[in-house]
Amino acid sequence: MDARYLNLAAAAIALSIIATTAYAKSPVADETIAVAKAAVDRAEQSGAPQAAPVELASARDKLARAEKASRDHEAKPAIALANQATIDAQVAEAMAQKERAAKAAAEFDASMSTLRQESNRNSSANQ
């Protein structure tokens, strides 16, 4: 009877460990969500709210859904959504960088045009 009781107790302990492990939060999901949060933060700081509001909103939405899935102990959907949020945030950041680069190029072209006009004016005045 004692051996049977010990076997049942051991089985109950093993079952509780398995249940606790299965219900525990996934460190991979938490890390993936942290990467997505950092990507969204970078996108927000890069000017994406103005340059790529749709992509940034998509990233924020997917990040929120990933966090909810993680809280609900659904690791696979949490990881997938966090990865998608990271990609959306990177696209938004790239679009913001592209817009800044286009503005810088336009300003450079305007400066070069002004310099050419000044150079032509000075050349004409010296003749």
Side-chain angles (χ1 to χ4, degrees):
M1 193 89 128
D2 288 332
R4 190 172 179 184
Y5 175 76
L6 289 175
N7 285 340
L8 285 174
I13 291 171
L15 184 60
S16 67
I17 290 171
I18 291 170
T20 303
T21 304
Y23 197 71
K25 290 184 81 171
S26 167
V28 174
D30 291 343
E31 291 173 11
T32 308
I33 289 170
V35 169
K37 282 182 185 178
V40 169
D41 289 344
R42 276 193 316 274
E44 288 172 344
Q45 294 170 359
S46 74
Q50 295 78 27
V54 173
E55 291 78 5
L56 185 58
S58 176
R60 288 175 179 155
D61 175 62
K62 288 175 183 173
L63 177 58
R65 290 171 40 209
E67 289 171 332
K68 182 184 181 316
S70 180
R71 283 191 306 273
D72 294 343
H73 306 287
E74 298 172 355
K76 286 184 182 180
I79 292 168
L81 286 164
N83 284 332
Q84 292 171 14
T86 299
I87 292 168
D88 288 350
Q90 290 171 341
V91 168
E93 182 180 7
M95 291 175 72
Q97 289 173 347
K98 178 183 172 190
E99 185 175 296
R100 280 196 316 273
K103 285 181 182 178
E107 289 174 7
F108 179 78
D109 288 345
S111 295
M112 291 302 292
S113 177
T114 302
L115 284 173
R116 280 190 204 100
Q117 289 173 356
E118 289 296 320
S119 177
N120 289 339
R121 211 179 333 215
N122 288 338
S123 294
S124 296
N126 289 335
Q127 288 180 355

